[in-house]
Amino acid sequence: MSGPWCFMRAGGAVALEAVPDLPLDALRAAVVAAVGAGRRLGCWCGDGAGRVYAVLVDDAAGQLLVARAPLPDSYPALTPDCPQAHLFERELAEQYGVVPVGHPWFKPVRFHRRLTPGPDAWGRPDDEAVLPGVADMFTVAGDEVHEVAVGPVHAGVIEPGHFRFQCHGEVVFHLEINLGYQHRGIERAAIGGPHPRSMLQMEAAAGDSTIAHGWAHCQVVEALAGVAAEQPALDLRALMLELERLANHTGDLGALAGDTGFLPTASFNGRIRGDFLNLSAAVCGSRLGRGMLRPGGVRFGLDAARREDMRRRLERAGADAVHSCRLLFATASVQARFEDVGVVRPIDAAAAGLVGVARRACGHPADARRDHPADGRPGPAGPAATAEGGDVHARAFVRFAELQESLRLADGLLQRDAAATPPGALRCRPRPGHLAIGLIEGWRGPVLHLGITGDDGRFLRYKVVDPSFHNWFGLMLALRDEQISDFPLCNKSFNLSYCGFDL
Amino acid sequence: MDAPLLLEAAGRALAHLAVLTLLPPLLIGLIAKVKAAFAGRNGPPLLQPYFDLAKLLRKQAVFSRTTTWVFRLGPVAAVVTALLAGLVVPLGGLAAPVSFDGDLLLVAYLLALGRFCTILSALDTGSAFEGMGASREAAFSCLAEPALFLGFIALALLLPPGGGLRLAELLAAAPDGWRLAAGGMALVAAAWLVVLLVENCRIPFDDPNTHLELTMIHEVMVLDHSGPPLGLILYGAAVKFAVIAMLLLSLVLPRGGGLVADLATGVAGLLAVAVLVGVVESSMARLRLLRVPTLLVSAALLAGFGVVLLAVH
Amino acid sequence: MIPLIALLAGCALHLAAGLLALRRAGDAVAVLAVLASGCLALAGGWALAAPADLLLQLPWPVPGGAVAIGVDALSGAFLLPIAALGAATAVYARGYWDAHPSGGRTRAAVAVLLAAMALVVTARHGLWFLACWEAMALAAWVAMSAEHREREVRVSGWTYLVFTHLGTACLTAMTVLFILRAGTAAWVPLAGPAHALDGAIVLLAILGFGAKAGLLPLHAWLPGAHASAPSHVSALLSGVMLKTGIYGILRITGLLPEPAAWWGALLSVVGAATALYGIASAVVQGDCKRLLACSSIENLGIIAMAVGLALSARAGGHDALALLAGSAALLHVWHHAVFKGLLFCGAGAVLHATGTRRIDRLGGLLAAMPRAGALWIVGCAAAAGLPGLAGFASEWPLYLAGFAELRQGGWAGVLTVVALALCGGLAVAAYAGLAGGVLLGNGRSPEAENAHDPPPSMLRPMAALAAACLLLPLAAPWTLAALAPALGVALRLPAAAAPAVPGIVHLAVAGLAVAALGAAAWWRLHRRLAALPQGAGPTWDCGYAAPSSRMQYTVSSFGATLGHDIAPAPIAPPQDIQPAQGLFPHAASFSSRTGDGILERWIMPLVGRGAALCMRLRLLQQGHLHAYLAYILAAVLVLLAVAVLGRAG
């Protein structure tokens, strides 16, 4: 594509001067054109210094497209022409008071005051408390319609979020989800960094995606510093990423079984997930993989004996997982619950910019491991696992296929001699005035980190885009005209992160 | 009636009463235990439901400010109707303490009265969750009714024309039914098993273990109950399970032994039903809510075929 | 003679009350109406207690006509509910309706309606009966059209008029056939063997009286008429006027010598279909008075099933069974009159307090109107057929009759039992939805939040009817026995053949046991609660910061699983859905019309097609005198030709 873009790779950096600085109208047109040409809007965010940055992900070419523009107080909204920008634009308005005029669904995202001084995008008075989850929700008119309001406190120990269903009887006409109960401040904490704590904070951006977020952060810092981690460290990171995927996919499939009341797989997978988590612990001492990564390398290595032991354990747990999941997919009463439930049409999935498992379940084979490999070399062999239908079954099936693929990948990584290299990390000192992007395919989908350094070589802006940020909207679409009793199942089939959203 | 016979009758009535009032929570505990065994867990103790009841009776009750006396009527009605319904249902050879012409209607309608009150109690909270559960309860138990009554009809066909219509006589005809048309009786038993599962909100109709408000039936109806009223509801639900299990058992249990033998077979039968329910719950997923009516209509059709088979003989 | 005198006095007093009402003398009207009801009750009670066929005959200058009034046990069985509801609604209307601009006219129409109903159930001559029948129909029309300024009310009124006159047409044909069969229009029980015309007479009776009783498919006028009538009028229409249809069927079968098996079979099937259709449509109604009207369709269906079972048993020679089913029918006539009267009065109280009948705009009224609300809950429980209350007490003998019939190898019993069981479940759903939607939870509109209890003049009749709901089951052993002579008339059987129903005593005791054990458990629970600390809080809202009253289940939603997901398409009410479309929908809405499925999907299209056919006849209407003269000439010629050819043949 010829156009006003700076092209770069995931895990790359560019000097800020090299990023085209367009008028906003031109940037807007360029984004609309690029999305129209099949690219995905990966990020649309302000830098806190009066500019907006657009990052487009080109999966086909394995490239990232970056451009920026100065930000006025208001501008014609992107969303009408590019629906996948809707949440980014709301976020931008909430953070910097920039009003996207003509946004069809203009509401707060995380229910906080703007980050920089200035007028509120919604004109809310300063002395008025901003109640989380309270916004003008879409309502279906008619006094026969009832609303079901679930959350922020849920039946079960999960994170806060408010789900509002517009229902008649068992049928859901519309679901709207309001998150933003946890004001975690992770992005803000990174400003002025990288601090010694930044790595730990990024690992906790979404606790179940420690490795994906940690690695993306490492990519940003390494790229800004202009260093590259060595191959053995990359192998170990890849191993940890696959272990994370194995544990979570196993857990999700078990939870899906549990939501249909199918006890065997629910019970088995709970145990097997623990086996995979213990493998992570065998590498770095943390079942969630905390503390394994650091910019420039990894903190722990694997000796041959341990690798051999892990291979054996992986094989056993893997065989159990495959067996247990086959039982799930072979049980007719479960399949009856999975099929044609929670359907997201492929056209909607593409328009809404869904990513990861949810996107592949609609037949789009996007996988950052393949399209944007971490060290520049080709990712896993063969095409990404996809499924047709966009229903719960498709999302479960994609997970099962990926689980099996991850078993092979992890086994292959454990066989590499290089993995035995002792740990170490290169020193990373970010260069001033640069922009770097990390993009890692976590188990849920692509995790995108974007870091911009100021003149002092410290972070001017750090942006984290969890796949959940894109995919919560998919859950809303999946519930249209669905039975409300199938909501927990649909929800579990996406299994999105609240904290990954409430950054 | 001479004294020994009277004593025997009194003993049977007492044994029946004891089983009806004391055993039901154990059945619930047993189901949980079986499910735990299938899942490879130890599970809660068998007596956990009793501990829960004891705990709930000592706990503070919190009442929603929206509710009225109707809300408190629900738990009372749930227990009273289940116990009274149990009084007219024999347990195998243990005759029911109360028996009169047309008492079988009372069983079904007392359970309906309990349902009416618990539904109102749920609606009294003004919550979408409870309303959802109440709506499901009303719809599904309404469809379970024909299966139950077609079973009664099938049994009534075994009795000679004229004469009374006591539940005891009806169920006592079951052995004849097995002799004459075992297929028909099996269909009736299958239909009543479905009734047992749906009336007590077990898998595949409802999953008592999921704690997701949006999918449950019975559990979500009692979301706002707490303390002693919740204890009453749980106890009433256990008794209701036992009562319908007793109906089902009366189709298959041998009878005519001594008091101790009858008591032992009755208790063993109830425990066996609990194990069976545990096995069913461990081996299949629950249905999509939308499919539940289909299964219920099929159950009624099963019972209908049973009627036809028994009518032919 | 006393019953006859009391009857005539009652009618006269009612008419006097009507005349007074036109001058708007409130209390005096109520007193007169209560006195009149007392006279009618005396007549009915006497006739039941001392069965004798008293007959008063007066000449009537209509060719072949005579005024024949007779009070026998069957008349008595129907006079009592007319008296009871007449008195209750007279008191109730004093507080409810007298202030309304058309109050006087409505009260006068009600008075005529009551007198006409009393005459209908005592008429013993075909032509006199038709006259009374028509007077009743027209009085009901005037009474239900009180708010005729509203289009909906006028439409309902016209629909009613069309259906009632269809019925009257059938009854006129029936009367003609009866004259052909018996040689006289006087209603004297016919002796001798069955006649070929008997079947036709009964078929016309079932059609004509069925239109009044709301039997399928002639029920379609009923929900609209009951919904738009003032509530006390609805109570009368539903509680007693519909029952005159049942009375008519029983009276006619009582005149004919030997019932054929198919009469009962037809009634059983129609009754079962009516009952199921009625209660299934009740589940999805959003208007509380339409819901009650649909439930009346169900109850009339149940009564028709019972009558059908009685007739089949009678035809099959099972006299005891026939009497059991028949007494179940009459018992249900009484009990339904009581609880439906209470429910419509309660609906009136709600309407009075809030100004709306839409359940989904109500809610939480039990807190605002505790007395009327509690009474209404009793009515709902009774109508749901729950043990210890009036509804179950009269369904129970019908169940027994059904089981007895099927044990004799009949299929009608199976149909009865299964239909009753399904109706029972659906009724629980419908009435739990009604009581829950109107009385419980939170108010869904400002109207609901500002409600208040009605004045005592409205509460007292409701309390009396509620007490009757509780006491009638206890009295059932005696009422069942008392109704035997009435059945003797209808089924032409000796009353002594009535079977003993020992269980009914146990049933009454069981009702008491529920009450006693419930009270004990209630007392125990509250002692326990008193000993513990008490907590209060909002209903669980998941901790959301801004809950609203939309976040509670609507009654439309409550009935949706049964009404839309399960019910067959002809019953399910049509829905108007504007779905949420696109990724960011702008507007969406939902509403369901709870019109009558059969009327909208079957009858109206047929009427439309008929009207289109009739439009073609307009070709004949040329508007020229010559054309009409030519038509007359042609008609005369044709008739001449027929006459000549006929003589030649």
Side-chain angles (χ1 to χ4, degrees), chain A residues 229-455:
Chain A
E230 291 167 7
Q231 190 57 44
L234 289 175
D235 285 347
L236 273 174
R237 285 179 183 178
L239 172 68
M240 293 301 286
L241 189 67
E242 296 313 315
L243 288 179
E244 186 170 87
R245 192 181 320 277
L246 283 169
N248 280 297
H249 280 356
T250 308
D252 280 355
L253 288 167
L256 281 170
D259 269 348
T260 61
F262 186 62
L263 294 182
T265 303
S267 315
F268 297 151
N269 280 23
R271 194 262 299 162
I272 301 166
R273 171 169 173 269
D275 292 346
F276 289 128
L277 291 174
N278 288 341
L279 284 174
S280 292
V283 180
C284 67
S286 159
R287 283 159 56 100
L288 298 174
R290 298 251 167 114
M292 177 66 187
L293 309 186
R294 60 164 59 175
V298 291
R299 281 176 60 189
F300 305 98
L302 276 181
D303 57 32
R306 194 174 288 246
R307 271 187 299 146
E308 216 30 60
D309 175 52
M310 280 184 66
R311 275 194 71 196
R312 233 186 30 255
R313 286 162 64 182
L314 181 72
E315 189 188 347
R316 205 164 50 219
D320 285 355
V322 170
H323 178 77
S324 165
C325 295
R326 284 222 172 104
L327 182 62
L328 181 74
F329 284 96
T331 304
S333 56
V334 173
Q335 292 309 292
R337 293 292 309 278
F338 280 6
E339 282 166 3
D340 288 327
V341 173
V343 176
V344 181
R345 294 183 305 162
I347 187 170
D348 289 339
L354 300 195
V355 296
V357 171
R359 187 182 184 90
R360 290 192 286 278
C362 293
H364 298 279
D367 179 353
R369 288 177 296 171
R370 294 173 161 83
D371 307 330
H372 307 277
D375 55 354
R377 292 185 308 173
T386 58
E388 303 298 323
D391 54 3
V392 170
H393 181 266
R395 289 186 283 275
F397 189 78
V398 166
R399 281 189 168 85
F400 184 38
E402 292 184 8
L403 185 147
Q404 289 166 295
E405 183 188 46
S406 291
L407 283 173
R408 285 193 300 276
L409 285 176
D411 191 56
L413 288 164
L414 279 172
Q415 289 180 54
R416 291 203 191 177
D417 288 340
T421 317
L426 304 168
R427 192 172 159 71
C428 298
R429 172 172 293 167
R431 290 169 285 174
H434 272 68
L435 174 149
I437 298 174
L439 182 64
I440 292 296
E441 185 77 18
W443 61 273
R444 203 180 261 127
V447 170
L448 187 145
H449 284 216
L450 173 130
I452 302 171
T453 49
D455 296 337

